[in-house]
Amino acid sequence: MDKIRKDDPAQETGDSGFGEEELRRGMERLFFAYRDFIAQPDEILRTYGFGRAHHRVIFFVGRYPSMTVSQLLEILQITKQSLSRVLSQLIREGFVEQQQGVDDRRQRHLYLTEKGRKLEQELSADQRLRFERAFQDAGPDAVDGFMDVLQRMISRHPPLAG
Amino acid sequence: MDKIRKDDPAQETGDSGFGEEELRRGMERLFFAYRDFIAQPDEILRTYGFGRAHHRVIFFVGRYPSMTVSQLLEILQITKQSLSRVLSQLIREGFVEQQQGVDDRRQRHLYLTEKGRKLEQELSADQRLRFERAFQDAGPDAVDGFMDVLQRMISRHPPLAG
DNA sequence: AATAATATGTCAGTGTTGTTGACATATATG
DNA sequence: CATATATGTCAACAACACTGACATATTATT
């Protein structure tokens, strides 16, 4: 395998203090981090006959119990049909359960079952370890910077607690 | 839309200095950042009849001109067939061109055409702006932390220059 | 009480992008 | 000459996103 030659972008904008190269490096690194972040869960999911979309549901319902269907739609930014397919499968197989709302009985509040919590732990074990190590090794200041920059890249905050 | 109630994880590991909540918040934030990072390019791609996979090829070939097919496979971590479909489409439509290797004539070195570079610019305009603003507003120390943590989350480095 | 809006669920159809396994060609290496 | 490598291509399949239509239950409005 030959060494890959990097492009040397001719013109720099100069107006932001961050050059083409620095931005590209950040974009690239985000891609790699995300790619490796989901690689191991993907393998586990296949043994359950699930996909990445199931993981996202499991993660967010685990993080925000009593979340409704429309809140989940808002977070995932997918269509009702895309969510419905994976969510009803998770409910059917006993990983997620619904509870009719008390204030508004049209709403379905979502919760992980015990089985669902176990799956959540299994799926996120590698991801947690990855974050733990990176956070630990980089140190608290780096972690603050990491969280700050990520937050600023997010378009609009969904109405999350905390 | 009701406020979402956040889970209060019962037990903290305590052995890493980073609790369940902090790790979950990082994982969540990575998800949102990535989600918003690819949203706008996805829209543009649809007008070309392309998908996210085309963008990744355009990005990496733009960043590492003369890259070979197997290097691209290594980076994207997908199968030859998955790549072949999008790459041959990009070549057929004149966004990417191939050059037979001189040392090894089996290799195909990849380059963006002028048309390809224009598309690359169009696709990454929003992404660049997003990074520029986040980097600018968070400041250089935060950026260093961001880059450091991301790097530590990546499994193994592909043989990239720089 | 009638009407409109909301929350959810489901149908059929379509497209992108990932997978596997098999096979082919050109070229390089032993 | 035999084997390995780099690339390309075929068919089939699965996951997951989309659209648009439609249905039901419930709540809000007039």
Side-chain angles (χ1 to χ4, degrees):
Chain A
M1 176 84 67
D2 294 334
K3 182 124 180 179
I4 300 176
R5 178 160 62 81
K6 192 169 53 190
D7 185 35
D8 188 7
Q11 57 274 28
E12 299 277 329
T13 58
D15 46 52
S16 79
F18 294 100
E20 184 75 11
E21 165 58 19
E22 192 155 4
L23 297 176
R24 279 187 180 184
R25 188 156 42 211
M27 288 159 65
E28 172 185 278
R29 210 164 281 190
L30 180 61
F31 168 76
F32 287 134
Y34 197 78
R35 179 199 67 179
D36 294 345
F37 181 63
I38 58 182
Q40 215 261 341
D42 275 3
E43 277 182 45
I44 300 169
L45 287 159
R46 272 193 302 121
T47 72
Y48 285 83
F50 291 158
R52 207 170 286 173
H54 298 80
H55 188 186
R56 292 196 281 261
V57 171
I58 292 275
F59 174 80
F60 280 108
V61 172
R63 179 149 168 72
Y64 302 106
S66 86
M67 167 180 262
T68 67
V69 172
S70 42
Q71 288 170 332
L72 197 44
L73 283 173
E74 176 66 22
I75 281 185
L76 299 178
Q77 298 272 282
I78 57 176
T79 58
K80 203 165 40 163
Q81 170 68 340
S82 295
L83 175 59
S84 182
R85 203 175 329 120
V86 298
L87 181 57
S88 50
Q89 198 180 348
L90 286 170
I91 292 168
R92 209 180 317 118
E93 303 187 19
F95 294 94
V96 173
E97 59 187 2
Q98 292 182 322
Q99 256 186 31
Q100 197 174 44
V102 268
D103 293 358
D104 187 334
R105 287 183 302 177
R106 291 171 302 179
Q107 296 181 336
R108 303 299 133 109
H109 295 278
L110 304 172
Y111 302 88
L112 290 188
T113 61
E114 188 50 41
K115 192 177 169 189
R117 268 189 294 277
K118 270 192 191 132
L119 179 55
E120 195 275 331
Q121 290 293 314
E122 187 186 353
L123 286 173
S124 61
D126 174 85
Q127 298 187 329
R128 247 197 301 274
L129 195 62
R130 207 173 272 276
F131 264 85
E132 238 168 25
R133 282 188 186 147
F135 278 14
Q136 189 66 26
D137 295 351
D141 290 351
V143 171
D144 287 350
F146 170 77
M147 293 297 281
D148 188 26
V149 171
L150 271 192
Q151 182 64 51
R152 291 174 193 279
M153 289 189 9
I154 297 170
S155 296
R156 303 163 304 287
H157 312 178
L160 300 180
Chain B
M1 176 82 69
D2 295 333
K3 181 123 181 180
I4 299 176
R5 177 160 63 81
K6 192 169 52 188
D7 184 37
D8 188 7
Q11 57 273 32
E12 300 277 327
T13 58
D15 46 52
S16 78
F18 293 100
E20 184 76 10
E21 166 58 19
E22 192 155 5
L23 297 177
R24 279 187 179 183
R25 188 155 42 212
M27 289 159 65
E28 172 185 276
R29 210 164 281 190
L30 180 61
F31 168 77
F32 287 135
Y34 197 79
R35 180 200 66 179
D36 293 345
F37 181 64
I38 58 181
Q40 215 261 342
D42 275 4
E43 278 183 44
I44 300 170
L45 287 160
R46 273 193 301 121
T47 73
Y48 286 83
F50 292 158
R52 207 168 287 174
H54 298 82
H55 188 187
R56 292 197 281 260
V57 170
I58 292 274
F59 174 79
F60 280 109
V61 172
R63 178 149 169 72
Y64 303 107
S66 85
M67 167 180 262
T68 68
V69 172
S70 43
Q71 288 171 332
L72 197 45
L73 283 172
E74 176 65 20
I75 281 183
L76 299 178
Q77 298 270 283
I78 57 175
T79 58
K80 204 165 41 163
Q81 171 67 339
S82 295
L83 174 59
S84 183
R85 210 174 5 214
V86 299
L87 181 56
S88 50
Q89 198 180 348
L90 287 170
I91 291 168
R92 209 181 317 118
E93 302 188 21
F95 294 93
V96 172
E97 59 187 2
Q98 292 181 323
Q99 256 186 31
Q100 197 174 44
V102 268
D103 293 357
D104 187 335
R105 288 183 303 177
R106 290 171 303 181
Q107 295 182 335
R108 302 301 133 108
H109 294 277
L110 303 171
Y111 302 88
L112 291 188
T113 62
E114 189 49 41
K115 193 177 169 188
R117 269 188 295 276
K118 269 191 190 133
L119 178 55
E120 194 277 330
Q121 290 293 312
E122 188 186 353
L123 286 172
S124 62
D126 174 85
Q127 298 188 328
R128 248 197 301 275
L129 194 62
R130 205 172 274 274
F131 264 85
E132 236 168 27
R133 281 188 187 147
F135 278 14
Q136 189 67 26
D137 295 352
D141 289 351
V143 171
D144 287 349
F146 171 77
M147 293 297 282
D148 188 27
V149 171
L150 271 192
Q151 182 63 52
R152 290 175 192 279
M153 288 189 9
I154 298 170
S155 297
R156 304 162 303 287
H157 311 177
L160 300 180

